[in-house]
Amino acid sequence: MHGADTDGRLVAAACTIAIDDLPDGLIVADRFGRVLAVNRAAARLTGVTPERAVGRDMAEVFPFRDNDGRDWWKALDPERGPRIRSRVPERPLHLPGRQEVYVAARFVREPERCGDVERVAITLRDGGARARLERSRADLVSTVAHELRSPLTSVKGFTATLLAKWSRFTEEQKLVMLETVNNDADRVTRLITELLDVSRIESGRLELRRQVVDLPARARRVVAGRVAAGEQEDRFRLVAGDDLPEMWLDQDKVDQILANLVENAVRHGRGTVTIEIESVGWGVAVSVRDQGEGVRPEVAQRVFRQFWRGNSRKRGGTGLGLFIVKGLVEAHGGTITVQQAPEGGAEFRFTVPTGTPDFA
């Protein structure tokens, strides 16, 4: 049995949940439009306090209008609508002089199937947050389209040329074109992998497969990969403490964190890239720093947002790497910060807690 009592609490079976604990706005009205309850989130979104609203007419205190100016509550018509209705889909509405909110409704009937409407539960969500989410999705689509266009054009062009004029090219020319196709295919694969990581992080579906991980060994492996790709070996410096505790981490995710941070230091920094691993009170801290221009304090938190590339768009990259790093570190229960390095460049420092098999 569900209900709303006089002290503004929802009762469900054996548990009691305060409506003010709900993350979304909630307004409860009876079938005649008399307001029964308003939670804190709804008051914040509408500017109408529970004291002003409870006991009064819904259309009077919450005159929601759609984009064409129509009265939403009047159109809802709980008393006269079809008896099979149970929900009203979410849609953007606004109150006079207030920001847009997304409003949905559910009819509580007795009996539940085709009964009379006893109450109407109305949920409200911040329209600004929805607009930001939609802009983020639009940015994602735009970025994906831009990043895919160049390598796919290259793959298509070289492949079509080789198929049409294979005999006209020397073996050396064929090798150059095939290497270009291979590299561009790798670029597309990396982008798709990043997008899947972003999706898992945002949806909370990121899974960790913990095992004992040797952090210095993983860092050496990342550096070796950079050297094999053409970087000078003396550009990298690894400093690791001797008293590091046993760490239960996801090895693949750790490799990804280190590789992204080193890639960021190489691409956007200068001079020596130093990786320092040390034991701290509750875990292990890893610092990756360069000797470049660094990150200004006022933009330090923005570097972990999606698509953040600062003033370095011309240097390539999707702007997703540091967002993914932050998500992977936090999935391990850790934290990450960026600050000015002692040598003047940027220092990214993440800390992950020690763990045991039981913790994993």
Side-chain angles (χ1 to χ4, degrees), residues 58-286:
M58 177 75 188
E60 178 185 346
V61 290
F62 296 109
F64 288 115
R65 296 290 189 274
D66 63 17
N67 291 332
D68 295 323
R70 290 186 291 259
D71 186 320
W72 178 77
W73 179 261
K74 184 177 180 179
L76 199 66
D77 197 5
E79 285 195 276
R80 298 183 180 85
R83 299 180 71 86
I84 61 172
R85 281 195 308 170
S86 61
R87 298 180 183 274
V88 176
E90 186 177 68
R91 61 183 303 180
L93 301 173
H94 65 273
L95 295 174
R98 300 292 298 185
Q99 67 180 8
E100 187 177 71
V101 293
Y102 282 79
V103 182
R106 178 179 179 272
F107 297 114
V108 181
R109 296 181 179 273
E110 187 62 41
E112 183 176 351
R113 185 176 179 84
C114 298
D116 292 333
V117 173
E118 294 293 323
R119 292 181 305 282
V120 182
I122 302 162
T123 58
L124 292 77
R125 293 202 293 169
D126 184 1
R130 172 67 68 88
R132 289 191 295 273
L133 176 60
E134 290 177 350
R135 285 197 300 271
S136 176
R137 288 174 176 170
D139 287 342
L140 179 61
V141 172
S142 175
T143 299
V144 170
H146 176 77
E147 294 296 330
L148 287 177
R149 184 181 297 115
S150 177
L152 289 179
T153 298
S154 171
V155 168
K156 175 62 178 175
F158 280 118
T159 303
T161 301
L162 285 170
L163 288 173
K165 303 177 182 180
W166 179 267
S167 61
R168 299 185 186 182
F169 296 108
T170 66
E171 292 301 313
E172 185 177 351
Q173 289 172 326
K174 294 173 184 176
L175 180 61
V176 169
M177 285 190 280
L178 288 173
E179 286 177 343
T180 303
V181 169
N182 184 62
N183 291 336
D184 284 334
D186 287 343
R187 181 177 166 188
V188 172
T189 301
R190 286 194 299 272
L191 175 60
I192 293 172
T193 300
E194 287 184 344
L195 293 173
L196 289 173
D197 287 335
V198 168
S199 174
R200 293 187 185 105
I201 290 169
E202 289 190 326
S203 63
R205 293 185 291 106
L206 193 67
E207 296 182 0
L208 299 182
R209 294 176 175 82
R210 294 183 185 262
Q211 58 182 294
V212 176
V213 172
D214 184 339
L215 279 174
R218 307 319 298 174
R220 283 191 290 270
R221 183 175 181 274
V222 169
V223 170
R226 300 295 310 189
V227 172
E231 297 288 344
Q232 296 296 317
E233 186 173 0
D234 59 4
R235 187 176 182 184
F236 302 96
R237 175 171 172 260
L238 175 62
V239 180
D242 296 326
D243 57 345
L244 298 177
E246 183 178 88
M247 302 296 297
W248 283 78
L249 308 168
D250 186 309
Q251 183 168 285
D252 291 339
K253 302 293 189 296
V254 167
D255 287 351
Q256 192 173 356
I257 292 168
L258 292 170
N260 278 2
L261 291 178
V262 171
E263 165 74 16
N264 183 77
V266 169
R267 174 175 293 177
H268 301 295
R270 294 193 303 269
T272 302
V273 175
T274 301
I275 307 170
E276 184 173 354
I277 306 172
E278 57 184 328
S279 178
V280 294
W282 56 282
V284 170
V286 180

